[in-house]
Amino acid sequence: MAIEKIMANFLSIQNLSLEFQKNQEVLEVLKNISFDLSQGETLGIVGESGSGKSVTALAIMRLLSPNAKITHGDIIFQGVSIRNATEQEIESIRGKKITMIFQEPMTSLNPVLRCGYQIEEMFLTHDKQKKSYKNEVLELLREVKIDQPERIYNAYPHQISGGQKQRVMIAMAIATKPDLLIADEPTTALDVTVQKAILDLLKELQQKYGMSMIFISHDLAVIKDICNKVIVMWNGKIMETGTTYHILNNPQNPYTQALINCRPKPNFYPVKLPVLQDFLVVQKGQIIPKAPPNLEYFDKMEVSQKFQAKETLLKVEQLSVWYPDQKNFWGKVISWKKAVEQVSFELKKGETLGLVGESGCGKSTLAKTLVQLLNPTAGNIYFQKVCLNKLKDKELKNYRKKIQMIFQDPYASLNPRMKIGQAIMEPMVYHKIYPSQEQCFQETCNLLEKVGLKKEHFDRFPHEFSGGQRQRICIARALAIQPEILICDESVSALDVSVQAQILNLLNSLKSEFHLSFLFISHDLNVVQYFCDRILVMYQGKIVEEGWAHEILNHPKQNYTKELVGSVLSL
């Protein structure tokens, strides 16, 4: 069938309704939504997880799963009906006129193909005049401001940082000079300096190529920085739309007002962070506003200082971790990548210590070394005066359960084939925490309830939960063997503001109940300022500044810390 020509705006979503069918159940995920996008305009879409943001983007690209069905309405792009186009016709649009930057670059890039070839595929798919487009790819890598483009061209995804992977994804997306670029949470997992650089890059590329852009994010400050117009979505419906200034400064819908009020703010220290449920209630699919909560606040300095008199739980002395960077013909290492270099710090009992710094500075390498997933090149790690890196495997087993880690991506942290109850029980059984399987089962059910889930969830698989629920499962698994230290590696960065507040409230309550200490790694400085007592600032493998959280973020001394704080976007 020929592409149906319809006179419309550059992009027009017209009364679109979409449903998913699972077994005999039908779930309506988009409910009669309509909006227009003009040439050269940037439209922001905000809302909680599950609100329909990404599904809308996938519908525009016609990348929906087989169980998805458009029941009403249409998507008109440059006068073309996306819904009625044939596969051959849609392929002339998708990847050429409309491209997309997906949320997680590590899972979007093929791990067994070099980055350069993956970008080159974009040229080969849509323009087969040449056998090689290496020069064009190198030029693209320079355009997205990647240093050493030759090295990145030949590198595999796991060999480059998160910020570099995101730039590779952007290079792929702009290779065909598209008319419309859809960016689905492209800066969510990035630190503030890289985030700002990516946003500036997207604005520069948009101006250069005259692209229109749809920018999906749960970060309202990012939306303010890059978008002309905003759509607020909830439960598959558009709750409010308007200019960015109007939506963020004078929101009319109770849901939009609640979203803005849930965002962590500088120097904001409530005992319990507000969540959406504090501002509104849902009845029969409708939002009804509530009176704003009366928040109780605490003295940040007083709370933080009380931990300094307590015993040192973890002590790190002159820790270095080096990776082989280059080898000669005979396999001998001729240069090293110094990921962590002479790092020293202490963590007191009951304290929360923040660790901040840009991608590739060594934060995650340091965290993995602390839990003995990596061996240090030099230096020592002491847990209650016992040197962990000098212990033999059998001795180390007893100490491994003392320090547990919550990783950034909860879905990748869970076995997709293992029921979540079994995943939580597994470390209990391995470390023989309880004498019987029945007691392990009972304690697992108790943990599920402590993290805000139900014991009925025991037999469900990870894919049956939302992102926030999966993070709760990972927290329950980390608590299963009764640790004394939890290392949180960007564990709330990919969550929307309300779920993020729920998880932070949960961690605070568990900290008191289980007498936990935290090493909290994050790029969100507002979250770090609220949640952490002290902060370590890391740059190129070294600690360049440390001190009280509120003092460092309000009065940074080092130039790098000043740059980090200056990159924070505000509403």
Side-chain angles (χ1 to χ4, degrees), residues 1-210:
M1 181 179 68
I3 295 177
E4 184 181 352
K5 296 287 182 179
I6 302 171
M7 294 305 294
N9 287 344
F10 176 76
L11 176 73
S12 181
I13 310 296
Q14 301 177 350
N15 304 312
L16 188 68
S17 295
L18 187 146
E19 65 184 25
F20 287 134
Q21 186 162 0
K22 183 181 179 182
N23 300 324
Q24 300 301 315
E25 184 183 359
V26 175
L27 179 64
E28 192 176 18
V29 291
L30 293 181
K31 302 169 184 176
N32 204 39
I33 68 167
S34 297
F35 63 85
D36 294 323
L37 178 68
S38 301
Q39 181 75 45
E41 187 177 40
T42 302
L43 171 71
I45 304 180
V46 300
E48 294 175 275
S49 297
S51 62
K53 307 186 301 292
S54 294
V55 171
T56 302
L58 293 173
I60 294 169
M61 294 283 288
R62 216 167 86 173
L63 286 174
L64 296 166
S65 59
N67 67 332
K69 179 184 177 184
I70 294 177
T71 57
H72 186 262
D74 204 351
I75 301 161
I76 311 301
F77 174 70
Q78 294 181 337
V80 172
S81 169
I82 298 293
R83 182 183 181 184
N84 297 321
T86 65
E87 275 303 317
Q88 184 179 1
E89 292 164 337
I90 204 68
E91 283 177 10
S92 68
I93 297 174
R94 185 174 55 215
K96 189 171 184 180
K97 293 186 176 182
I98 307 177
T99 58
M100 189 166 178
I101 305 168
F102 294 93
Q103 179 171 353
E104 179 45 65
M106 191 64 226
T107 55
S108 302
L109 292 170
N110 190 326
V112 299
L113 295 178
R114 297 180 191 274
C115 294
Y117 178 76
Q118 294 190 57
I119 301 171
E120 199 167 356
E121 276 187 317
M122 294 296 294
F123 292 103
L124 295 171
T125 300
H126 297 284
D127 187 358
K128 299 177 181 177
Q129 293 179 4
K130 296 167 62 176
K131 290 184 178 180
S132 174
Y133 284 88
K134 181 178 179 179
N135 291 335
E136 286 84 348
V137 172
L138 291 173
E139 184 57 37
L140 269 177
L141 290 173
R142 293 186 194 99
E143 194 167 4
V144 297
K145 296 180 172 57
I146 280 183
D147 295 327
Q148 301 176 304
E150 280 278 1
R151 184 182 74 82
I152 303 299
Y153 180 91
N154 291 304
Y156 291 97
H158 72 274
Q159 295 176 309
I160 61 178
S161 72
Q164 289 170 328
K165 282 194 279 277
Q166 198 62 283
R167 288 171 190 266
V168 168
M169 290 292 295
I170 293 171
M172 292 173 67
I174 65 167
T176 57
K177 297 180 175 55
D179 296 319
L180 171 61
L181 175 65
I182 301 173
D184 188 2
E185 302 274 14
T187 61
T188 295
L190 303 178
D191 58 76
V192 288
T193 51
V194 177
Q195 180 188 72
K196 188 174 187 305
I198 293 294
L199 292 175
D200 290 342
L201 172 63
L202 286 173
K203 287 187 280 189
E204 183 182 319
L205 292 172
Q206 182 187 28
Q207 190 171 13
K208 180 177 180 179
Y209 294 116

Side-chain angles (χ1 to χ4, degrees), residues 277-340:
Q277 290 76 8
D278 293 324
F279 298 95
L280 47 85
V281 63
V282 179
Q283 290 182 358
K284 297 180 181 179
Q286 298 297 318
I287 286 177
I288 299 172
K290 293 164 58 176
N294 292 318
L295 298 176
E296 180 185 352
Y297 295 88
F298 66 91
D299 187 316
K300 179 71 173 179
M301 195 65 183
E302 182 183 329
V303 170
S304 296
Q305 284 183 330
K306 73 177 183 180
F307 297 113
Q308 296 313 297
K310 298 196 174 184
E311 66 172 300
T312 297
L313 197 59
L314 183 73
K315 186 176 182 180
V316 176
E317 286 186 345
Q318 298 295 305
L319 191 72
S320 296
V321 184
W322 297 1
Y323 296 117
D325 193 27
Q326 287 182 308
K327 296 181 180 181
N328 64 16
F329 179 79
W330 292 275
K332 182 180 179 181
V333 178
I334 57 175
S335 67
W336 297 85
K337 166 69 175 174
K338 298 180 180 181
V340 176

Side-chain angles (χ1 to χ4, degrees), residues 450-451 472 475 502-511:
K450 283 185 187 298
V451 299
R472 290 170 186 267
I475 292 170
Q502 290 173 23
I503 297 297
L504 290 172
N505 288 336
L506 171 63
L507 290 174
N508 264 329
S509 66
L510 294 172
K511 178 181 177 180

Side-chain angles (χ1 to χ4, degrees), residues 230 232 239-261 280 287-289:
V230 179
V232 182
M239 306 304 291
E240 190 168 2
T241 184
T243 64
T244 305
Y245 179 85
H246 175 79
I247 294 292
L248 297 182
N249 290 282
N250 188 28
Q252 301 299 305
N253 191 278
Y255 178 72
T256 312
Q257 294 168 358
L259 268 185
I260 292 171
N261 287 326
L280 47 85
I287 286 177
I288 299 172

Side-chain angles (χ1 to χ4, degrees), residues 161 191 337-341 343 355-366 537-543 560:
S161 72
D191 58 76
K337 166 69 175 174
K338 298 180 180 181
V340 176
E341 182 71 354
V343 166
L355 181 60
V356 301
E358 62 189 24
S359 295
C361 72
K363 302 188 300 294
S364 293
T365 299
L366 174 59
V537 181
M538 201 167 185
Y539 177 64
Q540 293 185 350
K542 297 180 180 180
I543 302 298
Y560 175 70

